[in-house]
Amino acid sequence: MKTAVIILPTYNESKNIERVINKLQEVFAGIKSWKMEILVVDDTSPDKTYEIVQKLQKTQHNLHLVINKQKAGLGGAYLRGMAEVFGPLKADVAFEFDADLSHDATKIPLFLDKIDAGYDMVLGSRYISGGGIPDDWGVYRKFLSVVGNLIIMTVLTDFRIRDWTGGYRAITKPVYESVKDELNSERFMGYTFQIGFLHKAVRKGYKVTEVPFKFVDRTEGVSKLGNEYIKNTLLYILKVRIDEILNNRIFKFAFVGGVGTLVQLLSLTIIRQILPDFSLLFLTSFLLATLLSIECAIISNFVLNNLWTFSDRKLEASQVPSKFIQFNLASVGSILIQLVINSLGEFIFGLRHLFTLPIIGMKIDTGLIFAVIGIFIGLFWNFFAYNKFIWKKKK
Ligand SMILES: Nc1nc2c(ncn2[C@@H]2O[C@H](COP(=O)(O)OP(=O)(O)O)[C@@H](O)[C@H]2O)c(=O)[nH]1
Ligand SMILES: [Mg+2]
């Protein structure tokens, strides 16, 4: 039989802890196909929450307790708890659960059903049908929670998950194992832990789903959630999103292409200044300078793509000469593609004026349209050729 452990992080929850534990045990009584346990992670609460737990442990044998000497924040408490749950307690699933009775324990079997159905992580959600936030929350708090989640979804461009900030979750061991090392840092010790954990799990492709529940405000004790949470969350999502964009292969490819264009323009200017005027049959100094500047751009593209865009598939020194020739051929291919498309446009439509852009007065004609189409198809070809021939995925 599989084991699930409910982790209760506590800091000054002496008025709630016994009721939560009793409530959980009541729900456990109805669960037949899982072995259910509880782990309280207390940061030596000044109100001695841990002493109440120690007293309950005398009669409840599925109740465990970890005491941190120092206050480690919510993330710190959960990481400590999960290390215990998936280590010594040898469990399959860890639940995150607030000790203040805000989370509806009767939903636990629904979480377990989802895990049994093959999901890697299940989230308690206030923002899907059947879920909810308290009616008596002030406008500001409702706004913050709803808009906060919308901002997170937008910045992370992921709308499949509706409740990113909730603290009621079931996590399977593989998710924990693959995410934990990236979270063991100062930055994730507070409430940012929740969004950081979920974001990493989603990006690694784990199957995540939501179960609705109605959030109930705590009646005893105080919330430890502060304003720094809002700031940290915003900083976190912006930072990871920028990182993701900068690390995107298409972005790098486009950036390297832009650098290549600059290299080409600059080298054309320089070469034309140092090259004496000459004309040999078809080869003029202008044509030679143009060809040389294109080659400079090709070299720049080759080097930067190798070191950056495809750094994960970097070429061996011995491959460089033949791959460089292939790279040149691919570039010639892209020029040919553009020539063909431009010519087709010219033959089929002729050079026709279409419209004039307002304000800047630029004339748009069919030639320009086909040039743009040609450039895009050429780029598409380049990216395809790089992926398929030059920096082939290593097997
Ligand atoms: N061990 C530990 N638990 C914490 C810490 N901060 C908050 N908690 C617990 O985490 C849960 C959620 O915190 P709470 O203040 O209710 O946050 P809110 O529900 O978002 O307002 C509660 O059970 C708290 O006692 C901490 O630094 N250490
Ligand atoms: Mg709470």
Side-chain angles (χ1 to χ4, degrees):
M1 196 154 55
K2 286 185 173 180
T3 305
V5 182
I6 315 289
I7 303 176
L8 298 174
T10 54
Y11 196 76
N12 289 342
E13 302 288 1
S14 60
K15 295 211 181 71
N16 292 314
I17 191 66
E18 184 160 2
R19 275 169 65 210
V20 182
I21 291 174
N22 289 340
K23 180 76 213 171
L24 286 170
Q25 301 286 19
E26 222 177 280
V27 173
F28 291 175
I31 300 174
K32 300 291 171 228
S33 54
W34 284 77
K35 187 164 173 258
M36 303 300 298
E37 301 182 11
I38 299 171
L39 171 68
V40 177
V41 183
D42 187 78
D43 291 1
T44 319
S45 296
D47 74 354
K48 300 206 161 56
T49 306
Y50 54 91
E51 285 187 353
I52 300 172
V53 179
Q54 283 162 340
K55 186 196 80 195
L56 294 172
Q57 276 185 308
K58 294 193 178 113
T59 52
Q60 304 183 16
H61 299 293
N62 61 347
L63 177 59
H64 310 272
L65 172 67
V66 170
I67 302 177
N68 285 326
K69 290 215 173 58
Q70 271 163 5
K71 192 171 183 312
L74 189 69
Y78 273 130
L79 282 174
R80 178 76 186 79
M82 286 185 209
E84 187 75 16
V85 166
F86 294 119
L89 294 181
K90 296 193 171 62
D92 305 285
V93 170
F95 273 77
E96 297 181 359
F97 200 88
D98 284 2
D100 58 1
L101 297 152
S102 289
H103 295 158
D104 178 359
T106 64
K107 301 285 181 186
I108 290 174
L110 290 182
F111 282 69
L112 294 172
D113 286 347
K114 296 285 186 188
I115 302 278
D116 285 332
Y119 285 98
D120 302 303
M121 188 164 168
V122 187
L123 313 172
S125 181
R126 298 160 294 177
Y127 301 117
I128 57 174
S129 162
I133 50 178
D135 293 329
D136 60 355
W137 268 14
V139 182
Y140 177 67
R141 198 160 167 205
K142 277 184 182 158
F143 175 85
L144 213 63
S145 188
V146 174
V147 174
N149 266 291
L150 274 174
I151 292 175
I152 293 168
M153 287 190 276
T154 310
V155 175
L156 298 180
T157 62
D158 195 330
F159 294 87
R160 291 166 302 178
I161 290 168
R162 296 307 167 87
D163 195 343
W164 285 83
T165 51
Y168 187 4
R169 299 170 170 187
I171 295 156
T172 56
K173 190 170 179 176
V175 180
Y176 164 75
E177 292 289 349
S178 82
V179 167
K180 66 168 185 212
D181 292 331
E182 295 170 48
L183 289 175
N184 258 319
S185 82
E186 195 65 33
R187 277 195 319 133
F188 292 107
M189 288 304 145
Y191 282 79
T192 332
F193 170 81
Q194 295 291 25
I195 181 160
F197 193 106
L198 177 56
H199 171 250
K200 287 183 198 308
V202 169
R203 286 300 195 255
K204 283 174 194 270
Y206 284 107
K207 279 176 71 186
V208 180
T209 189
E210 290 177 294
V211 162
F213 83 100
K214 290 198 167 60
F215 186 94
V216 187
D217 255 336
R218 62 158 76 237
T219 49
E220 300 289 343
V222 287
S223 166
K224 286 106 206 161
L225 190 132
N227 270 333
E228 47 78 68
Y229 166 68
I230 299 169
K231 192 189 86 188
N232 287 345
T233 301
L234 280 178
L235 283 180
Y236 173 77
I237 56 170
L238 286 176
K239 187 189 169 309
V240 295
R241 193 66 193 123
I242 290 169
D243 280 355
E244 280 178 359
I245 292 171
L246 291 182
N247 276 314
N248 181 289
R249 214 189 287 286
I250 306 259
F251 170 84
K252 292 179 173 177
F253 166 79
F255 192 87
V256 168
V259 172
T261 309
L262 288 180
V263 167
Q264 186 174 340
L265 294 176
L266 199 71
S267 53
L268 181 65
T269 315
I270 296 171
I271 297 169
R272 288 199 74 188
Q273 280 171 16
I274 54 177
L275 207 63
D277 261 343
F278 71 89
S279 173
L280 261 178
L281 295 174
F282 295 108
L283 191 64
T284 59
S285 51
F286 172 70
L287 186 57
L288 182 62
T290 306
L291 291 175
L292 286 176
S293 68
I294 291 177
E295 196 54 39
C296 287
I298 288 177
I299 293 171
S300 150
N301 287 354
F302 183 72
V303 171
L304 293 179
N305 277 321
N306 190 43
L307 294 181
W308 192 43
T309 317
F310 293 93
S311 58
D312 53 330
R313 307 178 193 170
K314 204 178 287 163
L315 303 172
E316 314 274 340
S318 63
Q319 296 176 289
V320 168
S322 67
K323 292 289 182 183
F324 182 63
I325 293 171
Q326 284 183 27
F327 190 85
N328 274 272
L329 291 176
S331 307
V332 171
S334 151
I335 294 170
L336 285 180
I337 287 171
Q338 296 182 46
L339 267 176
V340 168
I341 290 181
N342 285 357
S343 314
L344 276 180
E346 189 83 10
F347 282 130
I348 299 172
F349 294 95
L351 189 59
R352 247 185 292 165
H353 175 70
L354 294 174
F355 56 91
T356 306
L357 279 183
I359 304 171
I360 50 172
M362 191 170 139
K363 290 194 168 66
I364 305 293
D365 56 34
T366 46
L368 184 69
I369 302 281
F370 277 94
V372 171
I373 295 175
I375 288 172
F376 268 97
I377 298 182
L379 284 174
F380 188 82
W381 154 254
N382 274 340
F383 192 69
F384 172 80
Y386 296 176
N387 264 297
K388 276 279 166 264
F389 305 117
I390 298 160
W391 287 282
K392 258 186 287 195
K393 204 184 268 168
K394 288 182 181 139
K395 287 195 188 79

